[in-house]
Amino acid sequence: MAAAPRKTAASKTSLAAKQAEATHNEKTKDEAPKVATFEFKGETYEVPADPLDVPMDIAYAESEMDVIEVIAGPEQWGKFRDTRPTIRDFRKFAELVLEASGQGEDEGN
């Protein structure tokens, strides 16, 4: 008579991990990133509301301008540039982008 295979703690843990991963993947696929909107010079702009949802290209930004361009995205950056902004305008726009995307918050306080 052959003994029935026994489930070990490792196989139960592995199964639980696979189920948790599947649940996480379902949530990730179903949930679109939340966005925050703000107004600038009569136009509405939309950026990711969570700092973890900004494009990975932000890691390669070499200047503040690059950071703002990546967060805003190419279409909205173009819309901003079409306003023929001044340096003062850029500073205000950058402040709004960073605040809306959660980049300007003090972490841990």
Side-chain angles (χ1 to χ4, degrees):
M1 184 154 135
R6 299 173 109 194
K7 288 192 176 183
T8 64
S11 67
K12 287 181 183 178
T13 304
S14 178
L15 177 61
K18 287 179 184 175
Q19 289 172 336
E21 183 179 339
T23 300
H24 172 73
N25 288 342
E26 281 180 27
K27 287 182 182 178
T28 303
K29 290 177 188 174
D30 293 342
E31 296 175 10
K34 293 183 175 134
V35 296
T37 59
F38 63 90
E39 299 284 325
F40 183 79
K41 288 193 166 191
E43 295 284 343
T44 301
Y45 293 85
E46 194 174 271
V47 295
D50 186 325
L52 297 176
D53 290 329
V54 300
M56 182 62 197
D57 285 348
I58 196 169
Y60 304 107
E62 295 183 9
S63 68
E64 181 182 13
M65 190 173 296
D66 292 343
V67 169
I68 301 307
E69 183 177 358
V70 168
I71 295 172
E75 289 179 28
Q76 293 185 119
W77 180 249
K79 181 167 67 170
F80 168 72
R81 293 284 311 272
D82 287 347
T83 68
R84 298 188 45 86
T86 63
I87 299 297
R88 184 183 321 275
D89 292 335
F90 172 75
R91 289 179 65 195
K92 180 61 179 171
F93 183 75
E95 180 182 303
L96 292 169
V97 168
L98 293 173
E99 182 180 306
S101 66
Q103 302 293 321
E105 299 173 3
D106 286 338
E107 294 183 26
N109 290 326

